[in-house]
Amino acid sequence: MSSINFSLERNAFGQLVLTDADGVRHEGITPVRANPISAPLEGIALMSTDGHEVAWIELLAGLPAELRALIEEELGAREFMPEIKRLNKVSSFATPSTWDVETDRGTASFVLKGEEDIRRLPGGILLIADAHGIQFMIRKLADLDRHSRKLLDRFL
Amino acid sequence: MLPVPADHSLPERWRTEIATRPGCGKPVLAWLELDLDARLRFASGLVLITASELLACTPEASWQSWPLRGTLALRHTDHAGVGCLELLDTNGRIAHWRFTLSQNLAALRVISEFERQTEALRTGQAPKTPDEEICATCKAPLPPGEDECPICARELHEAPSTWTLFRLWRFAKPYRWQLVAGFALMTGATAATLVPPYLTMPLMDKVLIPYQNGKPIDTRMEIMLLAGLFGAAMLSWLLGWAKTYILALVSERISADLRTTTYEHLIKLSLEYFGGKRTGDLMARIGSESDRISVFLSLHALDFITDVLMIAMTTAILFSINHWLAIVTLLPLPLIMWMIHTVRDRLRTGFEKIDRVWGEVTNILADTIPGIRVVKAFAQEKRETQRFREANAHNLAVNDRINKTWSLFSPTVTLLTEIGLLVVWAFGIWQVSHNDITVGVLVAFLAYIGRFYTRLDSMSRIVSVTQKAAAGAKRIFDILDHVSSVPEPVKPVPLPSVQGSIQMRDIGFRYGNRSVIRNLSLDIQPGEMIGLVGHSGSGKSTLVNLICRFYDVSEGAIMIDGVDIRSVAIADFRRNIGLVLQEPFLFFGTIAENIAYGKPDATRAEIIAAARAAHAHEFILRLPQGYDSIVGERGQGLSGGERQRVSIARALLIDPRILIMDEATSAVDTETEKEIQRALDNLVQGRTTIAIAHRLSTLRKADRLVVMDRGQIVEVGNHDQLMAAEGAYWRLYQAQLRNAEQNLLEGGE
Ligand SMILES: Nc1ncnc2c1ncn2[C@@H]1O[C@H](COP(=O)(O)OP(=O)(O)O)[C@@H](O)[C@H]1O
Ligand SMILES: [Mg+2]
């Protein structure tokens, strides 16, 4: 499905509205990445409010600029997986522990409920879920500085 | 006048910020601290509501305000940990703000305030006073003026503190006299061990040295001193034995009480709690954590107290003999303690790491053993072995690293002890040469100090074991402090004989903040059979969970015979409900025991009658041990249909007024289904029945069919009425019909 047979726009309520090939309008479309971590730019589904897939986009790069901008804007407002660049401080090495971190989205602090909330994904990625279900990511352990690695090591 | 924050005190920073802004003179009713900007970067902002406007200060723009109108609405959504609050009117979205879910409670409060105020504007009446606030997570009422539930908040944020261990006193209290006796014995035993070095003094100065100087040995004195040594040894042995025995006994009992109390509490908690926890974790808490606490109490804490006593007594004795030598002896003490502590610290991290790596190894086992059929079916034994080998190699590597430090540790402590001894020797000899002390005093000091330094080593261990025990105690108290979200009523209404009518009035239910049942009302007559149908995920099982009171409704009420089920004792209420689930669970034990699970005092005749009615009797008789056959761990050895019939017999035996079947026949083939259906037909007679079935044909006998969609009832009626209406039921039916035809066609080819 390489050709685009739908149109997408944003309405006054800030929702995406998709009009499909048959002229049916779907309000409140949400774009969802199929592999948000391993392949964020491939495979994006446009889902309706009742959770059905309305359209499938193979490659984000293959879209017309305007459409792509709309989808990326919506994704940007929904996706939240701060990438940890540095660990400043952890309150204790026993959980629950409060972590002060620098992320690509600014400085933050969160509560780690248990060591089991740090999960390893294939490819050496670490996903850290905080007490409220926000996922923090560490893309590559080796890229962190010594201080951060030393702190993190106590939890791994 | 400026807005004044209400009871939930606003952070200082915002208070001054608001103070500098020309306000509207109304108090702040609720506020939400934003922690994200529009592009989801961490930044701070504020949304607040007063009786006349909604104000916001975002990281991008400074203050904005919107006067409240009846046409405004606030919409709240959340996704992946990020909440979004949108301000809408009839023409579109006016503004929106984002925040992490840590601020969710504040957001919900802003919304409820907003709704209260706009509702008042629409109706023209004064705003309703809010109901009692409840915790959004555990649904317990909040203490007045608090915005966070004390139970949930503690569970989230508090790192284990050593103080937690003092809460164990609650379990130690019943044994306080034994404890007092134990401590008295301990003091005695410790004192007795300090006698022998003291006696070496006269032994040296009054017996040996005079002999060397040519005087005959004073035999009487020698015998007395030796008897003293022997007596002290015997006394210390006896007291030590008694103390260890008593205190070990007590600590074992404390931990047993702790274990039982925790289990007793745990098993009464609601399904919601179990849904959020992993089985392994709960097992570890009750099993190994309580054991760890017991070991801590009976070994480490005891040792520590003995050590402290010993050191205190020794110090006193040393000072009483010669304070200069005592000072020199004790001088290196802080240094040695510090060194031991640093090495220990390094070791402790290492040992923790080993614990975790060990967990990894067990996890692989826990993963593959239950899934062994899948592993074999896909011929992945090699890969799983490889995975295990890798985890093991990791384990080895971590152990190797630790062993390097570890092997250094004991020799180091010995070395430090030797150095300490050296210092005492040197100073002692100097003092002897100046005739400040006798040889006997020096020997006594050396004897004391040997005991002293070895004690330091074991004392330094206390830090890490205490921390571990505190963590364990905290995890146990987490369970004990958790209040069931399905609380027992304070004054339960008696429920003598149940007719079986059920009314649901405007009920609503959320899992967390996700709404699953909305505005649902239904009256069920005694003896009526209701068929509940709808797409998967439409909330049928959730409704059943609510009727069984596995969860409590968020809004509205469920009544049995006109009594709110929340006002009846839980056990009283459940006694009237027979539940048959899709996945029948059989406990480890005989078939007879499993059938009699809900009525342990059932006679054999009753059990067999129930099995007959459930069409289980014959297959049970075909088993080698009949009703005495052991079934276990999910009823291995029985087929799905057989297990289901055992569970039907179990429901039949308690003779419930209300019967609930949640997809009881979905997991079995059509032939078995027919058999089970016949069993169920026996079960249904004369009882209020709620049956959920995937195959609509199973619900032929239902008096009324209730069609659910997305948490709401969309249609009610019998089969013919609903077919005639050509609505949701009709569509479901047509879809199944088509499927059935297709199957027939494919089967016929
Ligand atoms: N323990 C739970 N926590 C959160 N959501 C749940 C839980 N159980 C069920 N749900 C959700 O509630 C909805 C209704 O589920 P359920 O009542 O099991 O549906 P049905 O039985 O009709 O198939 C589903 O969307 C499901 O994902
Ligand atoms: Mg279900």
Side-chain angles (χ1 to χ4, degrees):
Chain A
M1 212 174 81
S2 56
S3 64
I4 310 294
N5 53 2
F6 60 85
S7 71
L8 199 64
E9 63 191 350
R10 192 180 286 282
N11 69 9
F13 289 90
Q15 294 175 314
L16 289 184
V17 182
L18 182 145
T19 314
D20 64 17
D22 305 328
V24 182
R25 283 166 58 85
H26 301 269
E27 294 199 342
I29 290 287
T30 43
V32 179
R33 294 188 209 264
N35 305 297
I37 296 166
S38 56
L41 299 180
E42 295 165 29
I44 291 174
L46 300 182
M47 312 284 283
S48 66
T49 37
D50 51 2
H52 290 294
E53 180 179 344
V54 191
W56 173 255
I57 296 163
E58 203 75 56
L59 260 181
L60 203 54
L63 292 181
E66 203 175 316
L67 185 57
R68 181 174 172 180
L70 208 52
I71 290 176
E72 280 184 336
E73 184 190 0
E74 187 70 16
L75 282 172
R78 275 168 57 80
E79 289 184 325
F80 188 62
M81 201 186 283
E83 209 180 310
I84 296 180
K85 299 292 185 196
R86 189 186 141 84
L87 271 73
N88 289 335
K89 199 175 128 243
V90 301
S91 67
S92 83
F93 292 115
T95 50
S97 153
T98 308
W99 290 26
D100 292 327
V101 295
E102 310 270 357
T103 72
D104 59 345
R105 292 172 187 266
T107 316
S109 102
F110 63 89
V111 176
L112 177 77
K113 260 201 298 193
E115 278 139 19
E116 67 273 9
D117 288 334
I118 304 181
R119 281 181 308 154
R120 286 168 192 278
L121 293 189
I125 296 171
L126 290 179
L127 268 194
I128 302 170
D130 85 345
H132 295 283
I134 295 176
Q135 306 270 355
F136 289 80
M137 176 169 64
I138 294 176
R139 222 176 244 298
K140 228 173 158 185
L141 200 57
D143 288 352
L144 295 180
D145 62 7
R146 232 180 94 76
H147 173 72
S148 310
R149 262 181 297 151
K150 210 165 139 194
L151 288 182
L152 195 62
D153 192 50
R154 296 287 298 263
F155 294 90
L156 297 178
Chain B
M1 228 189 89
L2 301 166
V4 186
D7 48 352
H8 315 297
S9 67
L10 199 56
E12 189 56 42
R13 173 172 162 248
W14 287 113
R15 224 172 309 174
T16 45
E17 171 91 32
I18 292 171
T20 57
R21 203 196 106 73
C24 53
K26 298 263 173 66
V28 176
L29 295 174
W31 48 269
L32 156 69
E33 252 193 301
L34 303 173
D35 48 6
L36 295 174
D37 66 13
R39 282 159 50 232
L40 299 185
R41 299 179 61 88
F42 292 105
S44 68
L46 189 74
V47 173
L48 60 86
I49 181 167
T50 72
S52 62
E53 14 168 47
L54 186 73
L55 299 99
C57 173
T58 57
E60 293 89 4
S62 62
W63 288 93
Q64 284 178 284
S65 68
W66 297 269
L68 296 184
R69 281 176 279 135
T71 51
L72 286 179
L74 271 183
R75 191 167 64 186
H76 172 254
T77 52
D78 69 81
H79 174 75
V82 177
C84 181
L85 197 61
E86 294 171 291
L87 180 65
L88 310 165
D89 72 1
T90 41
N91 300 322
R93 182 166 77 176
I94 302 171
H96 65 288
W97 306 281
R98 293 177 193 274
F99 48 90
T100 67
L101 282 192
S102 55
Q103 310 298 324
N104 208 35
L105 277 180
L108 294 178
R109 246 191 331 262
V110 167
I111 294 171
S112 76
E113 263 320 314
F114 178 88
E115 274 165 5
R116 213 158 65 84
Q117 300 301 331
T118 48
E119 173 77 25
L121 285 176
R122 272 193 289 275
T123 58
Q125 285 161 0
K128 277 189 286 199
T129 45
D131 302 338
E132 186 186 25
E133 286 196 72
I134 57 166
C135 168
T137 317
C138 71
K139 310 257 162 57
L142 290 177
E146 297 274 334
D147 52 342
E148 259 188 345
C149 172
I151 298 148
C152 299
R154 176 171 51 231
E155 192 157 347
L156 274 183
H157 305 299
E158 213 170 79
S161 126
T162 317
W163 295 110
T164 319
L165 281 172
F166 285 95
R167 297 186 61 197
L168 288 174
W169 175 243
R170 170 178 152 199
F171 293 93
K173 215 171 159 195
Y175 305 102
R176 57 186 177 280
W177 295 118
Q178 282 100 316
L179 282 173
V180 168
F183 283 123
L185 287 170
M186 184 192 283
T187 318
T190 315
T193 58
L194 293 176
V195 171
Y198 201 86
L199 291 184
T200 55
M201 251 184 326
L203 211 51
M204 274 286 161
D205 293 341
K206 302 239 164 76
V207 181
L208 286 176
I209 293 183
Y211 173 73
Q212 263 191 342
N213 294 343
K215 286 191 192 163
I217 286 182
D218 182 347
T219 330
R220 225 177 70 89
M221 180 164 232
E222 185 204 339
I223 288 174
M224 260 180 51
L225 287 174
L226 290 183
L229 282 178
F230 180 71
M234 286 307 285
L235 190 66
S236 140
W237 171 77
L238 194 74
L239 292 179
W241 167 74
K243 148 215 125 177
T244 313
Y245 181 67
I246 289 188
L247 291 181
L249 224 63
V250 169
S251 74
E252 222 29 87
R253 272 169 185 62
I254 291 176
S255 86
D257 290 353
L258 185 66
R259 208 158 22 226
T260 321
T261 313
T262 317
Y263 182 71
E264 194 184 353
H265 186 81
L266 174 76
I267 206 144
K268 284 194 196 141
L269 288 178
S270 71
L271 277 188
E272 189 172 353
Y273 184 80
F274 288 91
K277 299 279 180 219
R278 293 176 316 161
T279 317
D281 177 53
L282 290 178
M283 279 164 65
R285 287 189 192 202
I286 293 184
S288 44
E289 303 285 6
S290 63
D291 196 50
R292 186 181 282 179
I293 290 175
S294 155
V295 171
F296 169 77
L297 291 178
S298 64
L299 276 182
H300 303 295
L302 268 189
D303 278 353
F304 182 74
I305 297 170
T306 315
D307 293 345
V308 171
L309 274 178
M310 171 98 132
I311 287 178
M313 287 183 189
T314 315
T315 312
I317 294 173
L318 290 186
F319 270 96
S320 76
I321 303 177
N322 182 302
H323 59 272
W324 277 114
L325 191 53
I327 288 174
V328 171
T329 310
L330 297 180
L331 214 54
L333 197 83
L335 179 74
I336 294 179
M337 273 204 154
W338 175 76
M339 284 178 86
I340 291 179
H341 184 74
T342 0
V343 184
R344 277 260 162 234
D345 223 29
R346 178 144 338 142
L347 279 178
R348 173 158 50 110
T349 16
F351 284 133
E352 280 171 14
K353 215 170 171 116
I354 289 181
D355 271 0
R356 272 196 297 272
V357 174
W358 189 239
E360 225 170 277
V361 175
T362 12
N363 269 345
I364 294 185
L365 289 178
D367 227 23
T368 43
I369 294 177
I372 191 70
R373 283 177 65 173
V374 182
V375 175
K376 285 187 180 300
F378 287 89
Q380 293 295 322
E381 289 97 335
K382 266 227 181 73
R383 169 163 131 195
E384 293 300 341
T385 315
Q386 184 58 30
R387 206 150 73 95
F388 192 74
R389 185 170 294 139
E390 273 164 24
N392 237 343
H394 192 180
N395 187 19
L396 263 186
V398 173
N399 266 299
D400 286 351
R401 219 174 311 148
I402 264 288
N403 285 341
K404 228 181 272 170
T405 323
W406 177 234
S407 52
L408 204 66
F409 182 66
S410 282
T412 313
V413 172
T414 318
L415 180 72
L416 292 175
T417 315
E418 296 294 339
I419 292 175
L421 280 174
L422 199 75
V423 172
V424 175
W425 270 113
F427 189 75
I429 291 174
W430 182 80
Q431 273 197 312
V432 171
S433 68
H434 282 72
N435 282 330
D436 283 345
I437 55 169
T438 62
V439 175
V441 170
L442 178 58
V443 172
F445 263 75
L446 290 170
Y448 274 121
I449 207 172
R451 291 165 192 246
F452 205 89
Y453 282 170
T454 46
R455 283 307 181 171
L456 291 183
D457 168 31
S458 70
M459 268 182 88
S460 69
R461 209 167 307 186
I462 194 75
V463 180
S464 76
V465 287
T466 310
Q467 207 168 40
K468 270 196 188 149
K474 175 187 176 284
R475 281 151 62 76
I476 287 181
F477 280 111
D478 272 354
I479 298 181
L480 282 174
D481 293 341
H482 199 97
V483 181
S484 175
S485 57
V486 179
E488 282 279 0
V490 186
K491 282 200 206 104
V493 176
L495 195 67
S497 67
V498 171
Q499 296 300 309
S501 80
I502 304 172
Q503 295 98 39
M504 285 160 252
R505 278 210 217 122
D506 287 328
I507 60 172
F509 179 70
R510 285 182 222 104
Y511 284 115
N513 47 23
R514 179 163 160 221
S515 182
V516 176
I517 299 271
R518 269 163 296 192
N519 262 335
L520 187 149
S521 298
L522 184 66
D523 270 1
I524 303 174
Q525 303 306 317
E528 192 180 22
M529 176 172 178
I530 296 284
L532 207 53
V533 299
H535 290 291
S536 162
S538 55
K540 306 181 294 292
S541 301
T542 306
L543 188 63
V544 162
N545 283 341
L546 292 177
I547 295 175
C548 295
R549 213 181 160 215
F550 292 145
Y551 297 86
D552 268 345
V553 290
S554 321
E555 287 130 40
I558 299 180
M559 331 271 266
I560 174 168
D561 291 355
V563 183
D564 190 323
I565 58 173
R566 283 171 296 195
S567 58
V568 183
I570 295 173
D572 259 6
F573 172 64
R574 299 237 175 96
R575 194 167 300 134
N576 293 293
I577 294 184
L579 187 61
V580 183
L581 298 171
Q582 177 173 355
E583 275 284 313
F585 187 90
L586 300 190
F587 293 97
F588 184 82
T590 66
I591 290 200
E593 280 170 340
N594 263 292
I595 293 178
Y597 187 74
K599 192 181 174 189
D601 55 352
T603 62
R604 282 202 189 81
E606 280 176 309
I607 292 173
I608 291 173
R612 268 186 213 281
H615 288 251
H617 185 59
E618 288 175 357
F619 94 76
I620 294 173
L621 291 184
R622 284 196 293 271
L623 297 172
Q625 272 94 33
Y627 281 85
D628 291 330
S629 311
I630 299 278
V631 290
E633 275 215 16
R634 300 196 157 253
Q636 259 151 28
L638 295 186
S639 75
E642 290 166 341
R643 256 183 288 159
Q644 190 57 281
R645 277 174 280 167
V646 172
S647 85
I648 292 172
R650 178 153 73 195
L652 255 179
L653 188 65
I654 62 169
D655 191 23
R657 293 306 309 153
I658 299 169
L659 181 67
I660 295 176
M661 295 179 287
D662 191 349
E663 315 233 9
T665 58
S666 296
V668 296
D669 57 86
T670 347
E671 273 315 300
T672 319
E673 179 180 0
K674 283 211 184 93
E675 187 114 7
I676 294 179
Q677 200 60 48
R678 274 200 293 279
L680 286 178
D681 290 345
N682 280 334
L683 194 47
V684 165
Q685 271 156 28
R687 303 174 208 275
T688 308
T689 306
I690 299 172
I692 299 176
H694 184 64
R695 292 190 197 106
L696 299 179
S697 53
T698 340
L699 300 174
R700 262 170 299 126
K701 289 228 168 72
D703 299 309
R704 273 191 301 165
L705 292 164
V706 172
V707 188
M708 285 187 67
D709 186 33
R710 282 191 249 162
Q712 281 169 320
I713 294 180
V714 287
E715 277 182 331
V716 182
N718 63 28
H719 176 81
D720 298 330
Q721 291 166 348
L722 294 181
M723 287 304 284
E726 300 205 352
Y729 179 78
W730 181 79
R731 283 194 295 277
L732 276 172
Y733 192 84
Q734 295 295 331
Q736 282 199 359
L737 211 58
R738 271 198 300 279
N739 267 340
E741 276 168 7
Q742 199 121 29
N743 287 345
L744 264 179
L745 276 178
E746 282 164 8
E749 275 168 7

